[in-house]
Amino acid sequence: MDDSMVKPNPIRDSANKLKLSIFGVNGKGAAFTHHPDRFSGDWDEISRLAKRADQLGIEGFVSASRWRAFGGDGHYSGDVMETFAWAGAIAAITERISIISTFPMSLINPAFVAKAEATVDLISGGRAGMNLVCGWFPPEFELFGVPMQEHNDRYGYADKWMEVFDKLWSSDEGFDLKNEYFDVKNAMSQPRPLQSRPVLLNAGGSPRGRQFAAQHAEVAFTIPDDPDPQAVKARVAEYREEARKKFGKEIQIWLSAYVVQKDTTAEAEAYAQDYIVTRGDDIAVADLIEANIPNAKTMPPEKMAEMSYEFKAGYGAYPLVGTASDIAQRMKELSEAGVDGLMLIWLDYEQGLEKLAGEVLPRIEEAGLRRPATAG
């Protein structure tokens, strides 16, 4: 393809000071709740949301990866579309937005991923990206018949996985490559992609995970222990410094954030209380926490309750709860703390995006954080 036909990849190329993306939109959203407003996950709703986000100049549309449900067989958390097929479909109906496939590196071979991602890259005109996850949920490893390694060993495997993937993505002729985990011969991936490398995201939070993100990703996600912007600023600085010192590179630092926007702060807090506490899915979240936190059963009850609340609200995301003015102000504070982007979650995504477009985006545009989207 002529280079003039290759489109910008907005997560990488957008000039907006505060970039925005939408997460969990290949299934039923990222909240664990029985509230009737929860995202349906139907293709018609997903496709409408994708087109509207594209029109508004939102930088990214990000999938979740889930191969086995929390909370038992048939639970809604397992109703998640496969992310590369989903990305190809999103690519075909949008024009500008980055399309991010999330997948477990421990379970999916890099030869498949190179071909699948190149397919999305070609359909989208160069807007493909990936959210790299090492994998951590034991039932998913059991499903694939793959032994689950210890935490640090999974990142060691992921490093070697990236060595193979990067070579497959960049090489125009066959090659042999042998490392600790792979032994590929006369390897090559076709069709050839448009980008020199897809935009890569990672949310590793442990010391080993942060090192992996700093080495391989362009976007690292952090989950601050304290929502105060000054605490966020310190955490962001740590991530940037690690990438600079260890790998001599600059990376973007993003947060995942759940949004509850109402006309008054009291209304927003009441709605959050209703969907998170009153109608929260305690059984599924208990399953998630037990699988993800080795010492969960020995944690103090108040700490467990806090963690459960955060997962039910939006998969442990940062809270943006209040009026449009409250939310815009907190976005400004986060940007001033060094945050480059926010990956947004709502309970009702379509209504949430419209309220953001009508009341929050104009405020943060006026504050100089974003430029108004242009048509086309």
Side-chain angles (χ1 to χ4, degrees), residues 188-201:
M188 184 180 174
S189 185
Q190 289 180 261
R192 303 301 298 139
L194 299 178
Q195 299 179 90
S196 60
R197 200 179 195 221
V199 64
L200 300 179
L201 290 62

Side-chain angles (χ1 to χ4, degrees), residues 7-14 19-23 25 49-50 53-55 57-63 83 86-88 90-92 94-101 117 120-121 124-131 195 197-201 218-219 252 254 343:
K7 298 177 178 180
N9 193 321
I11 286 180
R12 176 188 293 131
D13 301 325
S14 171
K19 301 179 181 72
L20 300 174
S21 65
I22 303 175
F23 176 67
V25 280
L49 188 70
D54 196 46
Q55 181 185 52
I58 301 298
E59 279 83 2
F61 214 57
V62 185
S63 58
T83 62
W86 167 88
I90 298 297
T94 56
E95 294 294 331
R96 299 183 292 188
I97 200 166
S98 298
I99 306 147
I100 308 300
S101 300
E117 182 72 345
V120 179
D121 206 43
S124 67
R127 296 180 286 129
M130 303 190 302
N131 183 23
Q195 299 179 90
R197 200 179 195 221
V199 64
L200 300 179
L201 290 62
E218 292 181 56
V219 175
Q252 297 182 45
W254 286 46
M343 189 166 67

Side-chain angles (χ1 to χ4, degrees), residues 18 20 328 331-332 360-370:
L18 184 68
L20 300 174
M331 286 181 170
K332 181 174 182 291
V360 176
L361 289 184
R363 286 176 163 88
I364 61 175
E365 289 165 4
E366 185 177 354
L369 302 183
R370 295 181 63 82

